[in-house]
Amino acid sequence: MVTAKNNNKIKLIYRFFLLSLPIFIFCLRLLLTGNKVAPGDADYIIQTYEAMRRSILEFHQFPWWNPWVSGGVPLFANPQFGLFSIQTIFVLIFGSIYGTKLAILAYLLIGFWGFRTLFISSFKAAAVRSTLLAYIWTFGTFLTQRSSGHLTFFVIQFFPWALLLYLNRAKVNKSWLKLGTLLSLMSLTAAHNVTVMIYFVLAIIILLTTIKLDVSRANLYKITFSIKKTDVSFWIKTIPIFILFSSYRLFFTTQYLRDFPRSHEILSTEPSIGIPKAILAIFGPLIHYKNSPSVPQWSWLEASSYISIFSLFVVCLIIYAVLYKRAKTETVSKNFVFRWEIFLVAFCSFFVLALGDILGKYSLYEILRKLPIFSEMRVAVRWLAWCSITVIMFIASYKGPHFKRTINIMLAIAVIELFIYSMPQISKPYFLPINSFRPSTADFEQHTLFDVKRYGVPYDENLTGATQNNIGQVISGDALVDTRFKEPWGDSTLRCGVEENCSLVTNNGSISYWSPNRIVINRTGIGDIELDMNLGRGWKVNGLYLFTGYRTVEPNKKYLLTGNQKQYILEYKPRFSIKWAYDKIKKM
C-alpha cells in the first residue's frame, strides 16, 4: 500500500531526475570524450588527482608528496588539490580523467539544486522562475569555460547551500553543524581563490544582516548593530566545526604558501578590462564569444561570466515595472523579498572590483589587495562571476505582480540559448588522447619534458599521461613551484632529465626501492651521493631531519647524502603529520 509519505518521496525522486536530466544531457558530450584530457591547467589539475590515486591504490601511502611533477613537490598541501573532496571519490572509483569529468557533472547538479532550493526557500520565488534561474547559472559560461582548466572554481557551487543554511539557520535542524562542515569542505576541496571569495561574500552578507540602518530627520544616518543571542550561539558552534575539519589541511597549505609567496612582479599591476568589455562578459550578446575581444593580461575565458542578454532584458523589465507600473500604495521595497539596494550595491561593488586598477592605486581592487590572502590574488575579472550571481539573485527576489509570464518566457529563452551554446564548449578542450606505452608498474623515470607539442598544441606537457606511466616531469606548472619559467613566475629547477642522461641518483648509489613517500638507496661507491630530486625539510634520512633549514621544497639546492652508510632510507614525514606524531609517541 502506497502511503502519502511514500507518494511524496516518489514525487521528489521523479522531480529530481526530471529536472536533472537536462544537466546530464548537457554533460553528455564531455563524458563521451572518455579518457581524453585538455592541455594546460586541466591536465595539471587532473595530474594531482592521478598522483593521489596512485599513491593510495598502488603504493598504499597517504598522498603527502607528488614526485611526478617539478622534481617532486607537496601534494596534500597543494591549494589546488583536495584530498577530502567530491573529486577524490569519483577518481578512486573511475580513474583520474573520467572521474574528474563525473565530478564536474556532480558539481553542476550541486549548484543547480542549491540555487533552486535557495530561491524557493529563502527568496520565496516561484518554482518555475527558480528552476529557470538555476539553469541559467548552470549553463552560463563561467563554469563552462572553467572546465578547460580552472577546475578549482567549481567550489563556487557550494555557495548557494552555504547561504541557504545561514539564512535558514533558525529553521534547519543543526544548521551550525551543516554550515561548519560545508565551509570546511570548501577549504578541503581547494584552498584557492574562489573559496576565499565565498568566505568574503558570506562575511559581507552576514554583516549586512547584522547592521540596521535607520534614517530619520533628527539623525539622517544612524547605524545600529543588532546581534541576537541565537546568532552568537550559532557562530560559537559553527566556527569550531570549521576549525575541526579544515585546520589540519590549512596548516600544511599555509606552510607551503608562506614558503612560496607570489612574487611582486606578478602581482603589482592588474590592467583594467574596461567597462564595455566587462558588461559584454556578463550579458553578451553571444556573437562576442565567437570573436572574443582582447582582455589585458588575461584571455577572454578569464572574464567570461555570460548569463545571456535576455537576463539583462529581464532586469530592465523589472526596473520598469517597479518604477512605472506599481500601484500607488506600493513601495519599491515591497516588490522584493530582500531590499533592492543590497543587490545594487553588491553588483556595483563586484563590477568595480572586476575592473582592476581602473583608478590606479585608488581602485577598489587595489585597496582589497592590501588585505592578507587577497594580496596574492592576481586576476580581477574573476569577480564578474559574482556580478552574474547577483543579477540572478535580484531576479529571484522580485515578487511584483507585473510581467510574471513575460519574465519566465525570457528566462526560458536564455536557458535554451545557453544550453545550445555552452554544451559543445564544455567538451571542446578535451581532445588529447593519453599515451600508455608502458605499464604503470614500470620503474620510475624522470624526464625534463615528455611528449611536447602533440597534435600541434604548443603547450602540452602530458602530465597526467606521464604520471600514469610512472614518469616524472621536471618541468611543470605546479601551483607554487612553477618550474616552466624563471622568476617572476616561479622557481626554476636544478633537476635534469633523461636528455642529460640523469637519474634520481647521480653517483655512488642506486635505488633499490622507490615510492612517493619512501625511497631506499644503496651505496655503490665511495663519497657523497648526489640526488637529482627535490627534497625539503619534511624529508627524513635514516630517521633524521637533515634539511631542517630548508623550505617545504627546494628546487634550487643540491642534495647530498654524506657519511659511509651502506643504505639510506628517505621518508617524507613532515612535522605534525600522523607518522611524525607516531614516531614521537614510540620514543616516549
Side-chain angles (χ1 to χ4, degrees):
M1 182 177 179
V2 179
T3 64
K5 187 176 181 180
N6 290 333
N7 191 41
N8 288 334
K9 287 183 178 180
I10 293 172
K11 287 182 178 179
L12 287 173
I13 295 172
Y14 174 77
R15 186 184 299 119
F16 173 81
F17 282 103
L18 180 65
L19 297 181
S20 298
L21 182 60
I23 302 174
F24 280 99
I25 297 173
F26 182 74
C27 291
L28 186 59
R29 291 181 65 165
L30 172 66
L31 298 177
L32 290 176
T33 59
N35 280 325
K36 292 182 179 179
V37 297
D41 289 343
D43 183 26
Y44 169 70
I45 295 295
I46 295 174
Q47 185 281 331
T48 62
Y49 285 92
E50 175 63 21
M52 175 274 299
R53 189 197 68 80
R54 295 205 67 183
S55 296
I56 294 175
L57 298 183
E58 296 181 28
F59 295 98
H60 310 295
Q61 295 178 352
F62 188 85
W64 283 116
W65 193 254
N66 188 351
W68 292 282
V69 297
S70 298
V73 288
L75 179 58
F76 179 68
N78 188 333
Q80 295 191 110
F81 166 76
L83 173 61
F84 303 104
S85 64
I86 290 174
Q87 295 98 298
T88 294
I89 298 172
F90 286 105
V91 165
L92 290 176
I93 298 174
F94 299 99
S96 58
I97 301 174
Y98 204 73
T100 299
K101 295 173 183 178
L102 289 172
I104 290 175
L105 169 61
Y107 278 118
L108 292 181
L109 289 170
I110 288 170
F112 168 79
W113 286 103
F115 275 113
R116 185 181 185 275
T117 307
L118 173 68
F119 295 154
I120 292 174
S121 176
S122 298
F123 285 49
K124 310 304 179 186
V128 173
R129 183 181 299 178
S130 299
T131 303
L132 293 173
L133 289 170
Y135 279 135
I136 287 174
W137 168 251
T138 302
F139 302 146
T141 63
F142 177 75
L143 292 173
T144 302
Q145 302 292 11
R146 268 66 185 184
S147 67
S148 64
H150 295 302
L151 303 178
T152 57
F153 284 27
F154 281 79
V155 178
I156 203 170
Q157 299 293 71
F158 291 126
F159 169 73
W161 291 105
L163 182 57
L164 176 68
L165 286 171
Y166 172 70
L167 294 177
N168 291 4
R169 58 194 180 280
K171 302 176 184 177
V172 178
N173 184 36
K174 293 186 178 179
S175 57
W176 54 272
L177 176 61
K178 295 174 182 176
L179 181 59
T181 304
L182 181 61
L183 294 176
S184 64
L185 179 59
M186 295 179 202
S187 292
L188 293 172
T189 300
H192 206 233
N193 293 341
V194 167
T195 303
V196 176
M197 288 180 175
I198 293 172
Y199 295 155
F200 178 78
V201 173
L202 287 174
I204 297 299
I205 292 173
I206 292 166
L207 188 64
L208 289 173
T209 54
T210 303
I211 297 175
K212 287 186 177 180
L213 179 62
D214 296 328
V215 181
S216 63
R217 291 183 181 180
N219 204 336
L220 263 184
Y221 293 99
K222 179 184 178 183
I223 301 178
T224 59
F225 291 86
S226 175
I227 303 177
K228 298 179 181 179
K229 289 183 179 180
T230 53
D231 286 346
V232 174
S233 174
F234 175 79
W235 289 112
I236 287 176
K237 292 184 288 187
T238 300
I239 294 174
I241 293 297
F242 170 78
I243 295 173
L244 175 65
F245 290 135
S246 63
S247 58
Y248 191 69
R249 183 283 174 56
L250 291 178
F251 170 79
F252 291 100
T253 300
T254 302
Q255 281 186 327
Y256 195 18
L257 291 167
R258 186 184 59 205
D259 284 346
F260 295 92
R262 291 185 181 275
S263 54
H264 177 73
E265 289 83 352
I266 299 177
L267 304 166
S268 58
T269 59
E270 180 64 31
S272 176
I273 184 178
I275 295 176
K277 291 178 181 177
I279 294 174
L280 288 175
I282 304 172
F283 298 113
L286 187 59
I287 191 172
H288 286 280
Y289 288 86
K290 299 291 184 181
N291 185 20
S292 302
S294 61
V295 177
Q297 193 171 349
W298 311 111
S299 71
W300 184 247
L301 300 183
E302 289 283 10
S304 181
S305 297
Y306 183 61
I307 52 173
S308 178
I309 194 171
F310 291 98
S311 298
L312 178 60
F313 291 162
V314 171
V315 170
C316 294
L317 194 63
I318 290 173
I319 294 174
Y320 173 77
V322 169
L323 294 180
Y324 297 103
K325 288 290 186 178
R326 70 178 187 271
K328 293 181 180 179
T329 56
E330 288 181 329
T331 64
V332 173
S333 296
K334 286 184 178 180
N335 286 279
F336 297 93
V337 177
F338 300 101
R339 292 184 65 89
W340 65 273
E341 297 97 326
I342 294 176
F343 296 105
L344 177 62
V345 172
F347 180 88
C348 292
S349 298
F350 296 140
F351 192 82
V352 173
L353 281 172
L355 294 178
D357 65 351
I358 191 169
L359 297 176
K361 65 180 181 180
Y362 300 106
S363 299
L364 185 59
Y365 185 71
E366 293 301 321
I367 295 173
L368 179 66
R369 291 199 341 182
K370 302 296 181 184
L371 300 176
I373 302 177
F374 290 98
S375 61
E376 298 199 9
M377 291 189 181
R378 59 191 176 98
V379 188
V381 290
R382 291 170 180 171
W383 287 98
L384 288 176
W386 295 100
C387 292
S388 298
I389 289 176
T390 303
V391 170
I392 293 171
M393 291 171 66
F394 172 80
I395 297 172
S397 181
Y398 174 66
K399 62 175 183 178
H402 307 289
F403 304 120
K404 286 184 177 181
R405 184 178 180 186
T406 305
I407 289 172
N408 286 343
I409 291 174
M410 286 188 176
L411 293 178
I413 295 173
V415 170
I416 295 171
E417 177 209 11
L418 291 170
F419 182 91
I420 293 173
Y421 169 73
S422 295
M423 183 169 62
Q425 299 300 319
I426 199 171
S427 61
K428 186 177 180 181
Y430 291 88
F431 66 93
L432 289 174
I434 291 294
N435 289 344
S436 299
F437 59 88
R438 67 201 295 267
S440 62
T441 55
D443 291 340
F444 181 87
E445 290 183 4
Q446 183 165 279
H447 289 236
T448 299
L449 287 172
F450 175 71
D451 204 6
V452 184
K453 297 183 179 179
R454 292 187 301 136
Y455 302 93
V457 179
Y459 176 68
D460 172 26
E461 295 165 351
N462 198 22
L463 297 171
T464 304
T467 301
Q468 288 180 342
N469 294 317
N470 207 23
I471 294 175
Q473 297 216 62
V474 175
I475 303 298
S476 171
D478 179 75
L480 300 177
V481 187
D482 192 338
T483 52
R484 292 172 299 162
F485 308 98
K486 294 181 179 180
E487 290 286 358
W489 284 96
D491 286 50
S492 58
T493 179
L494 295 177
R495 311 301 149 222
C496 51
V498 70
E499 288 87 351
E500 292 82 14
N501 297 317
C502 290
S503 61
L504 294 179
V505 179
T506 302
N507 58 354
N508 300 329
S510 64
I511 294 178
S512 62
Y513 174 79
W514 181 93
S515 67
N517 297 337
R518 190 174 188 273
I519 302 170
V520 179
I521 300 174
N522 291 329
R523 179 175 290 282
T524 59
I526 300 173
D528 295 343
I529 298 176
E530 183 177 332
L531 304 180
D532 185 36
M533 62 184 82
N534 289 343
L535 298 175
R537 62 171 174 260
W539 282 88
K540 273 187 168 185
V541 179
N542 287 347
L544 300 174
Y545 288 107
L546 298 185
F547 314 112
T548 53
Y550 286 17
R551 294 180 294 178
T552 308
V553 59
E554 289 284 6
N556 287 321
K557 290 189 177 182
K558 292 287 187 180
Y559 289 89
L560 300 176
L561 301 181
T562 59
N564 297 313
Q565 290 96 328
K566 293 183 179 180
Q567 188 178 76
Y568 295 85
I569 300 176
L570 281 63
E571 294 180 288
Y572 189 63
K573 295 182 180 181
R575 281 180 166 82
F576 304 106
S577 65
I578 297 173
K579 282 193 173 183
W580 172 87
Y582 178 72
D583 288 346
K584 287 287 185 183
I585 293 171
K586 281 201 306 182
K587 292 179 180 180
M588 292 174 65

